[in-house]
Amino acid sequence: RMGPALAALDRVQILLRLTQGSESLGEFARVIDRLLEAAPQIKRETIRGAGHVPQLTVPQLYAETIVSFVRAGEASAARSV
């Protein structure tokens, strides 16, 4: 059963990306799995070699991942204009 907060995720109309580290505990991946079930438009990005907090364990790679996501969103927005 989905609570109201999870059900509301399906109405999100912006690009969202959830990140997880490849070295995170499995319970964190299961949380992301549940969020993706609620809102399939959200995408998952697994950052290799990162722990639970990738911005601390691999900050450069995390920053590159975020910049790539933002640039892809900008390019997508420009094509739709």
Side-chain angles (χ1 to χ4, degrees), residues 7-51:
L9 281 175
D10 192 38
R11 295 189 304 269
V12 171
Q13 297 296 312
I14 61 172
L15 295 174
L16 291 175
R17 173 89 29 111
L18 298 174
T19 60
Q20 73 179 62
S22 63
E23 306 306 311
S24 289
L25 298 174
E27 62 194 72
F28 298 114
R30 286 189 293 280
V31 169
I32 291 178
D33 289 343
R34 185 76 170 117
L35 292 168
L36 295 174
E37 285 175 21
Q41 78 278 16
I42 297 173
K43 302 298 180 210
R44 175 195 324 244
E45 180 85 25
T46 301
I47 301 173
R48 285 191 176 172

